[in-house]
Amino acid sequence: MAEARTPAVYSIAAHRGFADALVAGLIPRYADADVGLARLTLLLPSTRAARTVQEAFVRASDGGLLMPRMAVVGDLDLDETLGTLLDPLGAADIAPAVDPTRRWLRLAQLLAEEMAATGRDVPRGAALLSLARDVARTMDRLLVEDIGPEELLEQRVLDAVEDQSEHWQRAILLFARVQARWLAELQASGRLDAAARRNRLFEHAARRWRHSPPATPIVAAGVTSAAPALANMLRVVSELPQGAVILPDLDLAMPQAVWDELGAAGASDNPGDPPFARGDAVTHPQYHLKLLLNRMGVNRAEVRPWHRRGIGAAEPERSHAISNLFLPPQASKAWVDLPADKRRLSGVRLMESANPEAEAQAIALLIREAVDLPERRVALVTPDRGLARRVVQHLRRWNLEADDTAGRALSDTTAGRLFLQLAELAAERAAPVALVGALANPLVRRDAGRREWLESLRRFEKRLRGPRPEPGLAPLHATATEARVEDWWREAAAVLGPLLSDDALPLADWLDRLSAAGEALAGSAQWDREDGRALAQFVEGLRLHAREIGTMVEASDLHAVLRDAMEGIAVRPPYGGHPRVAIYGLIESRMARADLVIAAGLNEGTWPARPATDPLLAPAVLRALGVPGADFRIGLAAHDLAAAMGAPEVVLSRSRRDESGPAIASRFLLRVQALLGELGPAHREDEAPRLAAALDYADPAPPYPRPHPMPDASQRKVALSVTGLDRLRADPYQFYASSILRLSELDGLDAEPSPAWQGEVAHAILEKWHKERRALAEIAEEELRAMNAHPLVRALWRPRLLKALRWVEEAIAAEPGRVPELVEEKGELEWRGVTIRGRIDRLDRLADGTVAVVDYKTGRPPSGAQVQEGYALQLGTLGLMVKRGAFGPPASPSRFEYWSLAKNKDGGFGYIDTPVLEGRKQKGIPPEDFLPEAKRFLDDALDRWVLGDQPFTARLNPDAPGYDTYDQLMRLDEWVRLQDDEA
């Protein structure tokens, strides 16, 4: 057994730049004349850290060198990366790790069984798998701390459980039962959870190196995890003859009294005390390092400073200021007496923007300015992935491709979206949005035939617009026939058919069908590039374990299940970004350094993130077990900011608003402002936001006048419909756009049934009923199905529609001398050389030989005031046409009626209203004047616009009723706002 030596533990101060300072010290200390650094083994915290250190070696090398071996302590294959140093043969008694995907799926099954056994409602699909993911995450939290299920039965834990509400007690019992069953299965299969296996490997390495120190040097650098097994191994590494542990940003200058204020941090003289008490300053950036030192058994006084500087080091005063910046509550009272040199933050600027978009633009400008200087490196550090994506897009203005090392979620990539769009199509049974989205994905027919494919899809999509049709592909055949794309649709339907043939399948079979459909639509493009390769790896792993476990998924849950699983997979871009511009998340930024660091998104809820409570174990139970609580991560976020602030030049950025409203500045940023006091020009970054606002600035556009098109006489003389006449008098511009320019509005995909759609259905039903005299319910069902109405639409609207239609039947029967003569009849009349067209809903012969003109309304009819002003004279114009013989032999109209199918005053459906002034009505036109007034208004409209030369002024009568179909075309908001300002 090797003789114990004083632990070799070092700290690299924040201002020195960890990776570059580390390399600057490793090369002279461990380099060999013959083999360079190849004998050195570096233990690093993550793959990203290994890449950062490798880049630092490249910068420090003068002509090239042999790299040291780098092993990542979070790697599942730790024994393989360490090779003979760890002696894999000697570690053969450590069981292999179970695949995390298999564990996730099996835990979902165990949860369902346990919840069903206790009579609880079992969540389905994505909800059950999400709960299983929470169980796995909680198990890992305990395993990292080497807490076994037996510790859940300790008295202090049981006491904490008893104090919880019934909800927490049920959750803890459920977790304990599922964990016990899972660990029993693992033991029977001879496997371990990945976190448990890493702990066993750490213990094995510690034992071996303690008894037989390796002949080659081992250095652990940048590892801050305080897991007990890892801390024990780091202690052994620090005592090796050629070993060392190098910590990032441990504050060696902090006064001992302040260090003591951080609390016990896992160390207590009383073994019964929980390691994490309420009073501990767990949100301090040094807390997790104190916890690590305590678990290593190393006093802070034994830690030595690393005296090498990195290439991009700042001045030492920066580290002193950062130390003072994050003083714990009691110690921070000393700020009032701090001399200027102790709060010196020269090179640190604060930037505020109006919103995230303005913040991204200002950050992009700072980056663009920085890369103009030779060899200057710039890094953006932010946990806000939306902000990072905005910055990436703005940088493309200058052809700068930033290396966004945090990557994108697989669900946000092109290949991932195609896979999820097909899953959504299966879940929603070919709903229009999901169907068109999948068939229009950029990967579909990317290599050949995409132009023809999209042309057919656009014709099909135009016919598909409107309310959602019935589920499935069969109702869409008629749509394809109307669009004249039958061959294209047969090809698409053959690919999509297997996704809609079953309501529930094993998850593995769903993945088979989705993969086949994706390949049929996109070919090899489905699996090309980095997102396609990540998708292939995801599908293969999930399919393998889902088939072994037998996971069943209903079609309606498929999209949510896959989306949740894919959101946790990050797809990082390949090499090829700008070599001096990097965008990091908080984890990726650790150990990285640049000449200019922009720490962005410094708002509460983003940096630091909102603490998330464990859904299964109450905070009091976690404290009793000795597991760091949610606030522990605030301290990690503070440490990340402290490290970023060690750069020579730092910009701390936030936006005053976010997507939800006003944003609260981060507590870290408020500390910086409090430490600095009144911000002078040296600490304010005002120029970048100003330039960002000016970048897209243009001279104000001239005021847009109210549109008043004046077409020539030949363009004006168009046929006039009775509804078009009302529109012409109310808003001439709408008439101009619809009747002269012939512009019509397209319905949206999967649109809500509009009043026009409802009116069309009602008119079609009544027409058939009048002509065929069959049962109303039978006709209504036929028409709703013929219009491809979704079952939900039919279920919601059908009862109301039938009640209104039955009222029509009863109202006609209640007047024996009344006989409908014409139903849904079209008519045409030449009036002063202009064709007047109309469609009469119903013309009834009355007992006195006169006729009644009837118009059906699914909503409320026009008011008397609208009729009096000449904006709703449809019935009057139809009466003129009836009188002139436009619908057959001339007749004398004596009654004009609106039959509304809307709710009446008695709570039922259906009532009759008239536009003429009779009874108690206060507004309207007297019966004897109704047709003369209609003729006057008709002649006036013809004289002014159709046969005259008056302009078609937009919103000529603002109080008249109308649609907003053409508001954007007439640029309504621009000239209305101008008029309001002038007023």
Side-chain angles (χ1 to χ4, degrees):
M1 179 176 178
E3 182 180 349
R5 58 189 287 265
T6 302
V9 183
Y10 300 88
S11 172
I12 297 178
H15 72 277
R16 294 184 179 275
F18 188 87
D20 289 314
L22 171 70
V23 169
L26 290 178
I27 291 178
R29 182 174 297 202
Y30 294 105
D32 183 274
D34 298 322
V35 295
L37 293 169
R39 297 171 64 247
L40 170 65
T41 299
L42 275 180
L43 301 181
L44 298 169
S46 65
T47 304
R48 175 65 234 184
R51 177 176 167 183
T52 300
V53 172
Q54 182 178 351
E55 292 169 351
F57 272 114
V58 171
R59 286 192 295 270
S61 65
D62 185 14
L65 52 77
L66 291 176
M67 290 283 188
R69 175 187 297 154
M70 298 183 192
V72 176
V73 296
D75 198 339
L76 287 176
D77 300 322
L78 180 64
D79 48 352
E80 294 182 12
T81 55
L82 286 181
T84 55
L85 283 176
L86 193 55
D87 188 8
L89 295 178
D93 57 333
I94 300 177
V98 69
D99 190 279
T101 302
R102 187 189 189 285
R103 177 178 71 162
W104 169 50
L105 298 176
R106 180 57 183 149
L107 286 176
Q109 283 188 335
L110 294 177
L111 277 168
E113 294 170 6
E114 288 296 330
M115 296 177 78
T118 55
R120 296 172 61 180
D121 292 335
V122 180
R124 296 170 44 196
L128 178 62
L129 289 168
S130 177
L131 183 58
R133 195 176 286 109
D134 290 336
V135 170
R137 192 178 297 116
T138 301
M139 288 172 57
D140 283 340
R141 291 184 71 180
L142 300 183
L143 290 170
V144 164
E145 296 292 323
D146 260 343
I147 296 173
E150 66 282 353
E151 295 183 54
L152 288 172
L153 303 177
E154 291 182 358
Q155 190 59 47
R156 64 179 181 182
V157 178
L158 295 176
D159 292 341
V161 172
E162 288 180 1
D163 294 338
Q164 302 304 308
S165 64
E166 184 181 352
H167 158 73
W168 280 116
Q169 291 180 1
R170 287 201 309 267
I172 293 166
L173 290 174
L174 175 64
F175 173 76
R177 288 195 300 269
V178 171
Q179 186 188 34
R181 288 187 60 183
W182 169 246
L183 294 178
E185 288 187 11
L186 279 184
Q187 186 175 7
S189 64
R191 290 184 177 273
L192 289 172
D193 280 310
R197 185 172 190 274
R198 278 197 296 268
N199 286 343
R200 302 294 82 77
L201 286 170
F202 294 151
E203 292 168 357
H204 171 77
R207 284 194 306 269
R208 177 170 177 80
W209 292 341
R210 183 179 290 114
H211 290 282
S212 302
T216 56
I218 298 178
V219 173
V223 179
T224 59
S225 171
L230 179 55
N232 180 55
M233 187 185 76
L234 292 179
R235 170 67 190 224
V236 173
V237 170
S238 71
E239 294 176 341
L240 294 176
Q242 299 185 75
V245 173
I246 305 170
L247 301 176
D249 312 327
L250 176 65
D251 190 351
L252 299 179
M254 180 186 290
Q256 187 61 39
V258 178
W259 181 259
D260 292 340
E261 192 179 333
L262 296 184
S268 174
D269 295 333
N270 183 2
D273 290 344
F276 299 92
R278 288 179 184 270
D280 285 346
V282 294
T283 60
H284 192 276
Q286 294 292 307
Y287 182 85
H288 66 293
L289 294 175
K290 182 173 186 179
L291 175 63
L292 174 59
L293 289 179
N294 287 345
R295 287 181 170 177
M296 288 175 63
V298 174
N299 191 290
R300 187 174 65 123
E302 298 179 274
V303 181
R304 289 168 277 178
W306 189 264
H307 288 294
R308 292 285 182 170
R309 291 168 57 92
I311 297 174
E315 294 303 315
E317 291 83 1
R318 180 69 60 77
S319 287
H320 297 308
I322 293 172
S323 176
N324 291 320
L325 172 65
F326 289 104
L327 285 174
Q330 289 300 319
S332 60
K333 291 187 294 186
W335 280 358
V336 257
D337 300 321
L338 277 180
D341 61 329
K342 294 297 184 182
R343 63 171 76 207
R344 184 180 177 189
L345 282 173
S346 59
V348 176
R349 307 193 302 277
L350 277 63
M351 182 174 77
E352 276 198 345
S353 304
N355 52 61
E357 179 62 24
E359 183 181 13
Q361 181 73 282
I363 291 170
L365 278 168
L366 288 173
I367 294 174
R368 175 64 183 86
E369 182 183 31
V371 297
D372 250 3
L373 300 177
E375 300 184 5
R376 186 172 175 80
R377 290 179 293 144
V378 58
L380 168 63
V381 180
T382 178
D384 187 341
R385 302 313 308 152
L387 178 63
R389 287 193 291 270
R390 283 188 173 103
V391 173
V392 168
Q393 294 301 323
H394 282 300
L395 287 174
R396 287 176 178 160
R397 178 195 297 262
W398 301 289
N399 294 321
L400 283 176
E401 288 293 337
D403 184 7
D404 187 359
T405 59
R408 291 186 296 164
L410 177 57
S411 55
D412 290 337
T413 63
T414 308
R417 281 201 307 271
L418 175 58
F419 207 74
L420 285 178
Q421 284 166 338
L422 292 171
E424 185 179 10
L425 184 146
E428 298 193 8
R429 318 307 289 168
V433 174
L435 175 66
V436 173
L439 296 179
N441 186 282
L443 296 181
V444 175
R445 298 294 187 270
R446 188 185 70 182
D447 296 331
R450 181 163 176 81
R451 177 180 176 181
E452 294 77 10
W453 178 273
L454 289 180
E455 286 176 352
S456 299
L457 175 60
R458 286 170 185 142
R459 290 200 296 270
F460 176 79
E461 179 249 358
K462 189 174 181 179
R463 289 287 181 178
L464 188 60
R465 288 174 175 270
R468 178 184 295 195
E470 289 189 79
L473 299 178
L476 301 176
H477 289 295
T479 304
T481 302
E482 292 175 8
R484 299 180 181 179
V485 290
E486 296 93 333
D487 293 340
W488 171 86
W489 175 247
R490 276 192 292 271
E491 180 184 357
V495 173
L496 304 178
L499 299 178
L500 302 169
S501 58
D502 294 281
D503 293 329
L505 281 174
L507 179 56
D509 291 349
W510 279 123
L511 294 172
D512 287 339
R513 296 188 183 189
L514 291 171
S515 299
E519 287 187 8
L521 290 173
S524 62
Q526 170 76 6
W527 316 111
D528 288 347
R529 299 186 178 180
E530 64 275 4
D531 57 341
R533 291 189 290 273
L535 177 64
Q537 186 176 0
F538 164 77
V539 170
E540 286 302 315
L542 184 57
R543 176 164 48 193
L544 172 67
H545 297 292
R547 183 162 284 127
E548 181 183 350
I549 298 295
T551 304
M552 293 291 296
V553 174
E554 295 184 8
S556 57
D557 293 322
L558 180 62
H559 175 259
V561 167
L562 293 177
R563 181 198 60 214
D564 291 349
M566 292 168 67
E567 282 179 351
I569 299 174
V571 179
R572 291 176 173 82
Y575 289 97
H578 196 285
R580 295 188 285 120
V581 179
I583 298 178
Y584 299 117
L586 296 191
I587 295 176
E588 290 77 21
S589 71
R590 294 169 187 170
M591 301 176 62
R593 176 51 55 89
D595 300 292
L596 167 63
V597 171
I598 304 168
L602 281 165
N603 284 326
E604 283 293 307
T606 302
W607 192 348
R610 293 181 180 86
T613 303
D614 191 295
L616 297 164
L617 299 182
V621 175
L622 290 173
R623 283 195 298 270
L625 288 168
V627 177
D631 287 346
F632 186 75
R633 297 200 172 275
I634 297 179
L636 297 178
H639 188 261
D640 292 331
L641 180 60
M645 289 182 65
E649 187 179 352
V650 180
V651 174
L652 305 178
S653 171
R654 70 173 291 258
S655 60
R656 290 186 290 272
R657 297 182 64 88
D658 58 18
E659 289 82 356
S660 59
I664 300 173
S666 167
R667 65 191 72 182
F668 308 145
L669 191 63
L670 294 177
R671 275 181 163 265
V672 174
Q673 293 174 333
L675 179 67
L676 290 174
E678 185 177 350
L679 296 180
H683 291 297
R684 288 201 310 265
E685 177 52 66
D686 298 328
E687 186 67 6
R690 187 188 67 79
L691 289 176
L695 189 62
D696 296 321
Y697 175 82
D699 291 332
Y704 189 77
R706 175 187 287 195
H708 55 282
M710 297 184 65
D712 60 28
S714 62
Q715 293 172 317
R716 290 172 180 267
K717 199 169 182 180
V718 295
L720 193 68
S721 69
V722 293
T723 55
L725 173 64
D726 291 344
R727 185 182 297 116
L728 176 60
R729 291 192 53 80
D731 187 350
Y733 186 90
Q734 288 201 30
F735 176 87
Y736 168 77
S738 61
S739 298
I740 296 179
L741 297 184
R742 298 186 182 277
L743 299 175
S744 59
E745 186 179 28
L746 288 176
D747 289 331
L749 277 175
D750 207 353
E752 292 292 328
S754 64
W757 182 89
Q758 294 175 352
E760 188 178 347
V761 175
H763 281 73
I765 294 170
L766 286 168
E767 180 181 5
K768 275 195 173 183
W769 175 69
H770 281 300
K771 292 179 178 179
E772 301 178 11
R773 309 305 298 174
R774 290 190 290 128
L776 269 173
E778 178 185 347
I779 296 173
E781 193 64 38
E782 288 178 2
E783 287 300 315
L784 286 170
R785 182 175 290 109
M787 297 190 74
N788 280 346
H790 190 271
L792 180 61
V793 175
R794 291 203 300 266
L796 294 176
W797 197 48
R798 183 177 178 275
R800 168 183 169 176
L801 178 63
L802 287 179
K803 287 182 181 179
L805 294 175
R806 278 195 291 269
W807 168 82
V808 173
E809 187 177 18
E810 294 167 358
I812 295 175
E815 193 173 347
R818 184 174 190 139
V819 180
E821 282 194 348
L822 297 177
V823 177
E824 299 295 333
E825 189 74 22
K826 293 180 180 179
E828 191 172 290
L829 177 68
E830 289 294 321
W831 190 281
R832 298 176 57 190
V834 178
T835 301
I836 309 296
R837 291 173 181 160
R839 184 186 183 103
I840 195 166
D841 291 347
R842 207 177 79 217
L843 186 68
D844 293 353
R845 179 69 62 180
L846 304 178
D848 61 0
T850 61
V851 295
V853 181
V854 177
D855 186 56
Y856 291 122
K857 295 290 184 185
T858 53
R860 298 202 173 276
S863 66
Q866 294 169 3
V867 174
Q868 189 172 320
E869 294 295 328
Y871 303 141
L873 282 174
Q874 178 182 355
L875 285 182
T877 310
L878 287 172
L880 291 175
M881 295 177 69
V882 169
K883 195 171 183 179
R884 296 291 182 97
F887 298 99
S892 299
S894 62
R895 287 162 65 176
F896 304 91
E897 298 172 343
Y898 290 113
W899 287 43
S900 173
L901 305 185
K903 185 173 288 188
N904 57 37
K905 296 179 180 178
D906 300 327
F909 289 91
Y911 62 91
I912 298 175
D913 195 11
T914 179
V916 301
L917 186 63
E918 61 181 21
R920 297 181 179 180
K921 296 185 68 172
Q922 302 294 319
K923 297 280 187 174
I925 301 174
E928 65 275 10
D929 296 335
F930 188 64
L931 287 182
E933 280 294 285
K935 176 179 179 299
R936 183 175 71 83
F937 281 124
L938 172 60
D939 287 333
D940 178 67
L942 296 179
D943 289 339
R944 294 170 64 185
W945 291 291
V946 179
L947 301 176
D949 58 0
Q950 284 201 13
F952 291 85
T953 305
R955 292 293 174 95
L956 181 62
N957 302 291
D959 297 330
Y963 298 103
D964 58 1
T965 305
Y966 303 101
D967 285 359
Q968 184 178 10
L969 183 66
M970 68 173 68
R971 295 168 68 171
L972 177 71
D973 288 343
E974 297 181 45
W975 56 266
V976 165
R977 189 182 301 114
L978 176 65
Q979 289 181 342
D980 291 343
D981 292 343
E982 291 175 349

